[in-house]
Amino acid sequence: MLIVRRGELIAAGYEPDEIRQRLRSGELVKVRPGAYVGDALPRAPEQRHRLTVRAAVPDLAAETVISHVSAAVMWNVPTWGIALDRVHGTRPRRSGARRGRAVHLHAAPLEPHEVAVVDGIAVTSPARTVVDIARSVPFEQAVVLADRALHSGLVHADDLAAALASAAHRPGSPAARRALHFADGRSESVGESRSRTAIAAAGLPVPVLQWDVRTQAGTWLGRADFGWPERGAVGEFDGRIKYSRELHPHVEAGDVVFAEKRREDALRDAGLRVVRWIWSDLDDFTSTADRLRRALGIPTSGARTPR
């Protein structure tokens, strides 16, 4: 999507009144002050933010490197639960940070290996980006982002460990360390990452992720999101995406649902207790945690309350 700047329009002969009229008529749509596009803004928040980053870069000092959540968006890492109301950038200095209505400028040292270029824009490296965010957002959001970055192969555990070591004396580094030590690239979705944090907060045993369930004869029955093999139980996050055409473009949704039901029947026939939950359960995991305790054979009286 082409961004047109006010100065370019003025230089092309447009009067300020004409620009205002085009904005009122919808011929131009404001991305940020002084920057416009000739079409509707993208509906997806990450796509809109990426456009805003592109529009903001010419107004930032040349030394500024796009960072934090803005860098995550540029790297196409899902940013569940993290505000996209400001463009974030880091200047390689020890002071001078400022937070405005549209731009949040951070001040921190930047090593050459911590800077990369995406679509012609200088951004912090994937590992530096994940660590910077994990230092400044709640545990759950940090885990979701780190899981997605690991799962996609954008970063590796060694990269994050090195970036954590470099940030050891920066504000928020203990929180980042807790979140990134918990992160696991085997989580395949935002919902699974949130489920892991809820399971841990409830004090439940650590599950096996993506457990391949087999009969005693070795026949593969299916893969469970969460497994407790020694307790004979599995847990499944039932996000609608499992049945959508995004994952199954050439298969009817009803066929996918039927196959999923057969898989669950096979797990139950093998003597496993199956507990399912959906998106709304993640906002208050208390009842789901109790169902999991019963499936795991854990007393529910005096159970720890999920945070």
Side-chain angles (χ1 to χ4, degrees):
M1 189 174 288
L2 179 64
I3 296 173
V4 182
R5 304 188 68 80
R6 179 181 174 84
E8 295 171 338
L9 292 172
I10 296 294
Y14 287 92
E15 295 292 332
D17 285 346
E18 290 181 281
I19 296 174
R20 285 192 288 270
Q21 175 58 37
R22 285 173 174 259
L23 286 168
R24 285 193 294 269
S25 68
E27 292 180 71
L28 290 176
V29 179
K30 184 170 75 173
V31 179
R32 58 177 270 112
Y36 319 105
V37 292
D39 201 352
L41 297 178
R43 296 182 62 183
E46 283 93 351
Q47 292 179 8
R48 286 202 305 272
H49 189 75
R50 191 185 186 99
L51 190 65
T52 304
V53 169
R54 287 174 47 207
V57 164
D59 298 327
L60 302 176
E63 64 180 357
T64 305
V65 176
I66 296 301
S67 64
H68 294 75
V69 70
S70 298
V73 168
M74 296 300 293
W75 286 114
N76 290 319
V77 180
T79 55
W80 174 84
I82 305 175
L84 296 174
D85 55 341
R86 292 177 175 84
V87 171
H88 288 253
T90 295
R91 293 186 289 190
R93 55 177 70 174
R94 297 191 178 276
S95 61
R98 63 181 177 84
R99 178 173 175 167
R101 293 178 58 186
V103 176
H104 187 163
L105 289 177
H106 306 260
L110 279 170
E111 298 296 331
H113 71 273
E114 294 177 318
V115 180
V117 176
V118 177
D119 291 344
I121 296 173
V123 303
T124 49
S125 67
R128 172 65 186 260
T129 299
V130 172
V131 170
D132 279 346
I133 294 172
R135 291 192 298 110
S136 55
V137 303
F139 180 82
E140 186 178 22
Q141 285 89 326
V143 168
V144 167
L145 181 123
D147 281 359
R148 301 312 299 148
L150 287 165
H151 182 75
S152 68
L154 184 65
V155 297
H156 299 285
D158 290 345
D159 302 326
L160 293 180
L164 273 172
S166 297
H169 301 294
R170 293 179 189 147
S173 59
R177 190 175 304 110
R178 288 190 294 272
L180 299 189
H181 284 178
F182 186 80
D184 194 317
R186 289 175 296 175
S187 286
E188 295 185 340
S189 68
V190 171
E192 288 184 22
S193 296
R194 291 189 65 198
S195 297
R196 287 201 309 114
T197 66
I199 288 168
L204 293 165
V206 177
V208 174
L209 303 186
Q210 312 307 332
W211 179 34
D212 282 313
V213 184
R214 298 181 182 274
T215 65
Q216 290 184 346
T219 302
W220 186 76
L221 297 178
R223 188 178 63 173
D225 296 337
F226 307 95
W228 291 268
E230 71 288 352
R231 293 176 180 268
V234 300
E236 292 279 277
F237 169 69
D238 199 7
R240 290 182 62 188
I241 187 67
K242 285 187 177 183
Y243 314 115
S244 76
R245 288 195 174 275
E246 184 175 336
L247 290 186
H248 310 277
H250 305 299
V251 182
E252 291 296 326
D255 293 336
V256 178
V257 173
F258 180 69
E260 181 69 11
K261 183 181 184 305
R262 291 190 63 182
R263 182 182 72 93
E264 181 172 331
D265 288 343
L267 295 176
R268 294 186 189 278
D269 289 344
L272 295 172
R273 293 176 293 279
V274 180
V275 178
R276 285 186 174 274
W277 57 90
I278 60 176
W279 273 106
S280 59
D281 295 320
L282 294 174
D283 295 327
D284 182 356
F285 205 65
T286 304
S287 62
T288 304
D290 283 341
R291 288 192 290 125
L292 281 170
R293 289 188 185 95
R294 288 192 290 273
L296 296 171
I298 299 173
T300 58
S301 59
R304 181 176 171 186
T305 302
R307 60 177 175 80

